[in-house]
Amino acid sequence: ACRAIHDCYSAGPHPLNPPDNPEEPHWSNLSATIGNQYLRTRRVFGNLLENAVKYGRENGTVTVGGRIISDGNFELFVQDDGPGIPAESLERVFERFYRVDKARSRELGGTGLGLAIVKHLAQSFGGTVSVASEAGQGSTFTVELPAG
């Protein structure tokens, strides 16, 4: 998982790794073993990171992190400082093709499948995904994956 997160973070020009800041991210505190789930973990993290950058504030902040939790399970999170998600949309954001703000989504592109893919992949290896958000306060997406 740590390698997948690192690869997403450092894959070319990216708002979180601008060319004038070539410093590598520091992942030494993320040491969970997720076995052969590298590609799926990378896809999960990549989709969450892409959404955080796409829907966050212009020149805003995206925070990522992870930790080992009970029984060696691994939890990662992606937090943005964007407009947040209204309470009535929280239960639906992981549905295929669901868009919180349809007008903004059209201008930013995408298919409305990213979070549905995240949920499907997390569940496919026994994990979970959740979101905490408040309108105007940004969103935090958390994925828990089993060890091994």
Side-chain angles (χ1 to χ4, degrees), residues 128-140:
T128 61
V129 62
S130 61
V131 60
S133 185
E134 190 174 320
Q137 301 297 311
S139 302
T140 302

Side-chain angles (χ1 to χ4, degrees), residues 24-136:
E24 283 290 311
H26 182 67
W27 298 108
S28 63
N29 61 333
L30 305 179
S31 58
T33 301
I34 306 295
N36 67 358
Q37 298 172 348
Y38 168 80
L39 291 176
R40 291 183 290 178
T41 304
R42 182 175 175 169
R43 181 74 181 263
V44 165
F45 186 74
N47 282 3
L48 292 176
L49 187 59
E50 181 180 338
N51 276 4
V53 171
K54 185 187 291 187
Y55 296 107
R57 285 187 305 118
E58 187 173 342
N59 298 314
T61 300
V62 173
T63 304
V64 298
R67 65 188 179 118
I68 298 173
I69 55 176
S70 64
D71 299 325
N73 289 352
F74 184 77
E75 178 182 85
L76 66 88
F77 73 89
V78 177
Q79 180 179 43
D80 67 57
D81 61 354
I85 301 169
E88 64 272 9
S89 294
L90 285 174
E91 290 186 29
R92 299 198 60 202
V93 295
F94 297 104
E95 294 176 11
R96 291 181 299 159
F97 307 114
Y98 183 76
R99 304 288 191 116
V100 173
D101 181 347
K102 289 153 185 58
R104 185 167 184 211
S105 295
R106 275 192 294 274
E107 94 186 24
L108 294 174
T111 61
L113 290 173
L115 292 177
I117 290 169
V118 167
K119 180 180 178 181
H120 173 77
L121 289 175
Q123 289 177 339
S124 75
F125 42 74
T128 61
V129 62
S130 61
V131 60
S133 185
E134 190 174 320

Side-chain angles (χ1 to χ4, degrees), residues 9-24:
Y9 182 91
S10 57
H14 194 281
L16 298 180
N17 193 18
D20 60 338
N21 183 14
E23 184 178 313
E24 283 290 311

